Amino acid sequence: MTPAERKALLFLSSLALLGAGVRAVRAVGGAPPRSAFAESGAAGLRTQIAAVDSARAVAGRGRATR
């Protein structure tokens, strides 16, 4: 095995170990599952839409009374 092959093998092994470590940390509780993001994102979107709708209603009432 040449020195370049050893370096490549070391690099790829390190990369694989780093990826496995990240996955292990996330599995232990480092990040919530993707479905939790989707649900909280949908709730946030509903909140934003409600805020825009209420702002439009207030703006619409202001124009009607002037």
Side-chain angles (χ1 to χ4, degrees), residues 7-51:
K7 285 182 183 178
L9 186 59
L10 179 64
F11 174 74
L12 292 175
S13 299
S14 300
L15 193 62
L17 285 173
L18 181 64
V22 169
R23 290 187 74 153
V25 168
R26 285 187 176 182
V28 171
R34 291 181 187 256
S35 62
F37 282 129
E39 291 172 12
S40 66
L45 182 60
R46 283 192 294 270
T47 302
Q48 289 294 323
I49 291 172

